[in-house]
Amino acid sequence: MKIAVCAKQIPDPATPYDLDPDHHWVVRPDDQVLDDTDRYGVEIGLQLAEASEGTVTLFSMSPAGTLQGIRQALAMGADKAVVISDPALKGSDAAVTAKVLAAAIEREGYDLVIAGTESTDGYTGVVPQMLAEHLGVPSLTFAKHVEAADGTLRIHRQTPEGYDVVEAALPAVVTVTAGVVEPRYPTFKGIMQAKQKPVEELSAADLGFGADDVGAAGSGTVVEGVTPVPARQAGEIVEDDGEAYLKILEILERAKVI
Amino acid sequence: MDFELSPEHEAFRRVVREFAEAEIAPYAEEWDRTHTFPVDTVRKMGELGLFGLPFPEEYGGSDADFLTLCIAIEELARVDQSMAITLEAGVTLGINPIATYGTEAQKARWLPDLVTGRALAAFGLTEPDAGSDAGATRTRAELDGDEWVINGSKAFITNSGTELTSLVTITARTGPDEISAIVVPAGTPGFVVEPPYRKMGWHASDTHGLRFEDCRVPAENLLGARGEGFRQFLATLDDGRIAIAAMAVGVLQACLEESVAYAKARTAFGRPIGSYQAVAFKCADLETMTEAARWLTYRAAWLKDQGRPFKQAAAIAKLYATEAAVTATREATQIFGGYGFMDETPVARHYRDAKILEIGEGTSEIQRLVIARGLGLPVD
């Protein structure tokens, strides 16, 4: 089985990043890391590939930089990576990102595409579904369990009450939730092997896109403004005079928590 | 000159740090309090390949350089010295002698489980009456037909009594002026593991006294040539010194990070305590000691990796880094004030744990002796 896993490189969440003042785009440092939510997709991809003697190819649209984040996923065990890296892509919105990823995945060939539910920097949460639309295949979402065999994809789709069992014919796109598998840690051997694994770098033109099809020019989304989260107000301190629980109940009722 | 680590070293450091923070840090206080050796966590360290780092791939190792091992030990020590010493002793004292001096048969039998962390090996050198004076070893081994018969006792042996322990390599007197190394498999009749010690620190590390009472092992369990035991363990300890220095670097890093964070957050007389020179200068000293210790350690590891002489550099790194670590834990505890004296505060645990760094695998005094002799001084 040929498994495509979408893997995004994002600025290290441990160090705050900037938005450029003109367009409110994330200013991307050279040494981005693998988005934590994508580690689950990579892990599930690796497990399915191991069970089916398949391959895992990573797809990422990103300024190339050090490719540190992609190397992380290769060190976990993915076979190769395709990185679409082009200054023309700067400012691409979710729809353009989905279109570009779809073109790269189509070019490579696939049986199953795995993505996280949403990225940790942009949080749009719509790219995988748009990607499925571009590929013309079923889109299954919020999987906390994934099986793929005999041309069928079967998932447990997480719901507030429990889960639905959902099936679709392969090829298909599936998004996986965080925390349902334990992503493996890359070993030192994995890190050394990742150095030798192929990373194909493509431009927008390699995928048949003109300058107006992608980047800010091709995007319909404009971020008009960004407002910082207001600083948290100091909390209310309830002194316990033996009856504090009554006050706390009142506060919780007022907040409609109970 | 180039002080950059390779991208692969840096990538591996991030992995071990993440592992240490997720799998060890949240539980270190509890293991310390309950004196628990966390077998499952040690197995996970094995799955991550930590025990096999510097050993050949043909036995399941990673063929990494010694610097990579130092980085792993440093990152574990930054959150918990007990797990760091479990790795350090497992690799440099437990596996190293087998990998270096073992016959093909010995390596094939023991290494695959050891380098993957499915089993742990220990090294029995110190005796109740022979510490720094390891030549005073009293444990005897006599050949009886095709078996060694071992009698004697060993003291303070790390990793010797865990459910993962598969063997202890001991030094024993095999003749009047002859010390040899012999592999004693766990569970051999006459090999008695005494109850764990009550220690000042390293509560989650496994340490026992061992007794050998007419303990019989096959003659082929001799490790290396007969009579070579003394020379072998001196070489083993040279490696271990760099690794213990790496532990001290991790401790220094922890003290630095904890102290700076606390100095920014804690206020006294209406200002963060880090705005007072008394505290800020302590933090500056911690940073200076950490950097100095780290580069002495990495240089010693680099010399070893280059195949160049490193005895002097290893002793210097061990001496400076461990004494700096003890100073750093004392100063960090001081910065934390009363909270620093509370057992659950990480710097308090580091304070109790650090002292042994100046003692184990060659005391500070022995390091000074090695360094002074390296200067050509005729010192005894």
Side-chain angles (χ1 to χ4, degrees):
Chain A
M1 188 159 53
K2 276 187 94 166
I3 299 165
V5 176
C6 296
K8 189 172 188 183
Q9 298 195 113
I10 63 167
D12 188 342
T15 48
Y17 52 86
D18 295 322
L19 299 178
D20 89 73
D22 298 332
H23 308 92
H24 313 295
W25 297 332
V26 173
V27 177
R28 299 195 174 274
D30 201 36
D31 53 348
Q32 299 195 94
V33 299
L34 180 66
D35 190 335
D36 206 47
T37 61
D38 286 332
R39 295 199 304 161
Y40 299 92
V42 173
E43 178 62 39
I44 287 178
L46 290 172
Q47 288 181 12
L48 291 173
E50 281 157 9
S52 66
E53 291 183 13
T55 57
V56 172
T57 303
L58 307 167
F59 290 86
S60 192
M61 192 180 104
S62 161
T66 60
L67 287 178
Q68 178 182 299
I70 295 301
R71 297 272 174 220
Q72 270 175 273
L74 289 171
M76 287 172 72
D79 298 281
K80 59 181 275 198
V82 176
V83 179
I84 311 105
S85 182
D86 193 326
L89 293 169
K90 194 174 169 151
S92 295
D93 63 5
V96 169
T97 305
K99 179 169 74 177
V100 171
L101 285 173
I105 291 169
E106 191 88 74
R107 179 179 183 269
E108 182 73 23
Y110 67 100
D111 297 306
L112 173 64
V113 182
I114 302 174
T117 51
E118 59 187 359
S119 65
T120 311
D121 56 350
Y123 284 112
T124 62
V126 295
V127 171
Q129 295 76 37
M130 292 174 162
L131 175 61
E133 195 63 24
H134 281 293
L135 292 171
V137 300
S139 163
L140 277 57
T141 52
F142 297 106
K144 59 178 209 145
H145 174 79
V146 180
E147 295 165 35
D150 305 325
T152 305
L153 173 68
R154 171 199 276 255
I155 68 156
H156 293 178
R157 181 180 196 276
Q158 202 161 329
T159 68
E161 292 79 31
Y163 63 86
D164 302 329
V165 179
V166 184
E167 270 187 13
L170 289 171
V173 174
V174 62
T175 67
V176 297
T177 57
V180 289
V181 287
E182 201 171 319
R184 64 196 70 187
Y185 293 98
T187 62
F188 185 75
K189 241 191 265 185
I191 290 170
M192 296 310 282
Q193 285 163 356
K195 256 170 86 170
Q196 315 297 335
K197 288 180 177 173
V199 177
E200 187 180 5
E201 288 189 35
L202 299 178
S203 66
D206 290 336
L207 295 170
F209 295 113
D212 291 342
D213 301 326
V214 295
S219 296
T221 314
V222 175
V223 182
E224 294 198 331
V226 176
T227 312
V229 178
R232 214 181 277 184
Q233 303 291 315
E236 183 182 344
I237 294 172
V238 180
E239 296 282 349
D240 188 10
D241 51 5
E243 306 267 299
Y245 69 97
L246 290 173
K247 277 188 194 155
I248 291 170
L249 282 174
E250 188 196 315
I251 293 167
L252 292 175
E253 274 170 12
R254 218 186 316 141
K256 298 202 167 75
V257 177
I258 54 173
Chain B
M1 282 281 264
D2 184 357
F3 286 96
E4 291 290 341
L5 299 187
S6 73
E8 290 72 35
H9 284 124
E10 292 292 2
F12 188 62
R13 180 195 294 283
R14 277 195 301 278
V15 171
V16 181
R17 179 167 293 198
E18 193 180 314
F19 175 88
E21 287 184 347
E23 312 284 347
I24 296 175
Y27 316 105
E29 188 275 330
E30 184 194 334
W31 297 336
D32 175 67
R33 179 164 36 83
T34 57
H35 295 221
T36 302
F37 177 82
V39 176
D40 289 342
T41 305
V42 174
R43 286 206 179 96
K44 283 187 184 175
M45 286 159 55
E47 286 163 18
L48 185 52
L50 299 186
F51 288 94
L53 282 173
F55 302 112
E57 284 198 36
E58 62 174 305
Y59 299 109
S62 297
D63 264 329
D65 57 16
F66 204 76
L67 180 60
T68 307
L69 174 68
C70 287
I71 290 168
I73 291 170
E74 176 188 330
E75 289 301 327
L76 295 192
R78 179 175 160 274
V79 304
D80 182 37
Q81 291 184 50
S82 287
M83 288 303 94
I85 191 60
T86 300
L87 173 64
E88 192 280 338
V91 172
T92 70
L93 301 180
I95 307 174
N96 204 14
I98 308 279
T100 310
Y101 306 111
T103 60
E104 275 314 311
Q106 285 169 333
K107 288 196 263 193
R109 176 175 174 194
W110 299 112
L111 287 184
D113 279 345
L114 291 173
V115 299
T116 49
R118 293 192 293 266
L120 274 177
F123 185 58
L125 170 67
T126 298
E127 299 192 354
D129 294 313
S132 297
D133 182 14
T137 294
R138 282 195 201 163
T139 297
R140 283 174 294 114
E142 286 162 3
L143 261 187
D144 178 24
D146 55 2
E147 287 181 328
W148 293 103
V149 183
I150 306 166
N151 281 284
S153 53
K154 295 289 174 182
F156 317 130
I157 309 305
T158 305
N159 292 342
S160 61
T162 77
E163 64 177 86
L164 299 175
T165 304
S166 64
L167 69 90
V168 179
T169 302
I170 61 149
T171 51
R173 204 161 276 289
T174 47
D177 283 314
E178 185 183 276
I179 292 175
S180 305
I182 297 172
V183 175
V184 183
T188 305
F191 169 20
V192 180
V193 178
E194 291 175 343
Y197 292 103
R198 290 181 56 235
K199 292 173 292 188
M200 173 172 143
W202 287 9
H203 287 158
S205 154
D206 178 83
T207 326
H208 300 267
L210 309 177
R211 278 199 327 272
F212 300 91
E213 298 166 346
D214 288 330
C215 175
R216 288 173 172 268
V217 299
E220 69 254 25
N221 281 26
L222 184 72
L223 186 67
R226 183 170 173 165
E228 285 294 295
F230 197 81
R231 191 188 57 77
Q232 287 173 16
F233 76 65
L234 286 182
T236 297
L237 290 179
D238 280 343
D239 290 358
R241 279 170 193 158
I242 309 176
I244 293 285
M247 267 190 76
V249 174
V251 175
L252 281 154
Q253 182 69 36
C255 289
L256 173 66
E257 289 176 28
E258 292 277 344
S259 296
V260 170
Y262 193 69
K264 287 178 180 167
R266 169 79 177 185
T267 57
F269 308 104
R271 279 160 44 193
I273 58 172
S275 68
Y276 300 105
Q277 290 189 352
V279 172
F281 286 9
K282 276 193 202 304
C283 292
D285 288 345
L286 290 174
E287 164 87 342
T288 306
M289 288 189 287
T290 305
E291 286 293 299
R294 176 172 286 131
W295 290 110
L296 284 175
T297 303
Y298 289 1
R299 178 168 174 276
W302 178 82
L303 285 171
K304 176 176 161 56
D305 286 332
Q306 300 297 312
R308 288 161 59 171
F310 65 95
K311 191 182 191 66
Q312 188 82 342
I316 292 170
K318 205 256 175 192
L319 173 64
Y320 178 78
T322 62
E323 293 198 341
V326 172
T327 302
T329 58
R330 190 182 68 242
E331 294 291 38
T333 301
Q334 188 71 14
I335 290 170
F336 272 73
Y339 291 107
F341 196 59
M342 299 300 107
D343 249 349
E344 66 267 28
T345 309
V347 293
R349 175 159 47 84
H350 275 304
Y351 191 17
R352 284 186 282 107
D353 284 350
K355 179 61 204 172
I356 185 62
L357 294 170
E358 293 179 323
I359 299 170
E361 300 194 36
T363 60
S364 285
E365 291 70 25
I366 290 293
Q367 307 313 318
R368 289 190 166 88
L369 196 64
V370 169
I371 297 163
R373 283 179 183 159
L375 295 170
L377 295 169
V379 59
D380 280 331

